[in-house]
Amino acid sequence: MHEAPIIGDTPALDLANTHFAIRGNPVEGLPNKEALERWLTSMHTNQGLPAVSAVGSGGLASFIELRGAIRMVAQALTVGDGEIRDAVDRINDFARANRTNPRLVTEHTDLIARYESDATGMRRLLAEFAWDAIDLFGTERKKLLRSCPAPDCPLFFIKDHSRRKWCRPSCANRVRAARAYRKQRSTTAPGSGVSI
Ligand SMILES: [Zn+2]
């Protein structure tokens, strides 16, 4: 069983990237409730998202649905294809499930703003990912959104550094190794016309 990569650029893309590939073969990173629980636990530990106790089958279906919508919009923004109206509606539906109530509270002698959610459990978690997608797709951050150019890699990432070209170091290594292999073939077999 292969775990989906958590690149950590932003939660919405980490969810999108649970649809990944190993050596060009597509892999479903959320095949069942248990896999989603493990992934959400990792997201809680590594990305500070709310903790989850148990996932029901409805929760799994909702996460897969939200992931499909996020991937569709990310694809449209990076590759430029696809009709995204339904996907945008779905993201908004998931986001709407969580209303946040601002409150002023007194701490010692200071006034602090607190934002309290009125949703709990799975609805709140889904909304966190949907809110993150809205913040990514609807702000200047979307200019840095990229789909990984490595062959058969379906992952998205944020180009947060001018020299970053790939989703992960493993994709950079794979592309470099393929290049080196091609170069070696062309020098050992000149004129063979073989290209890989
Ligand atoms: Zn990649």
Side-chain angles (χ1 to χ4, degrees), residues 115-176:
Y115 300 90
E116 293 176 353
S117 171
D118 63 358
T120 56
M122 210 39 66
R123 276 160 53 94
R124 163 127 192 248
L125 259 178
L126 283 156
E128 293 270 352
F129 285 94
W131 282 26
D132 186 56
I134 289 170
D135 187 59
L136 172 62
F137 297 146
T139 67
E140 293 292 295
R141 291 173 74 203
K142 65 172 167 274
K143 291 181 179 168
L144 299 175
L145 176 64
R146 300 285 185 278
S147 63
C148 183
D152 300 317
C153 179
L155 303 195
F156 297 98
F157 67 99
I158 303 283
K159 189 175 171 62
D160 51 5
H161 191 284
S162 60
R163 280 181 299 185
R164 184 174 177 187
K165 287 184 182 165
W166 318 99
C167 67
R168 294 172 290 172
S170 57
C171 269
N173 294 339
R174 199 158 57 87
V175 170
R176 268 190 221 113

Side-chain angles (χ1 to χ4, degrees), residues 182 184-196:
R182 277 199 300 273
Q184 194 185 21
R185 288 283 296 239
S186 66
T187 51
T188 53
S192 66
V194 174
S195 65
I196 297 184

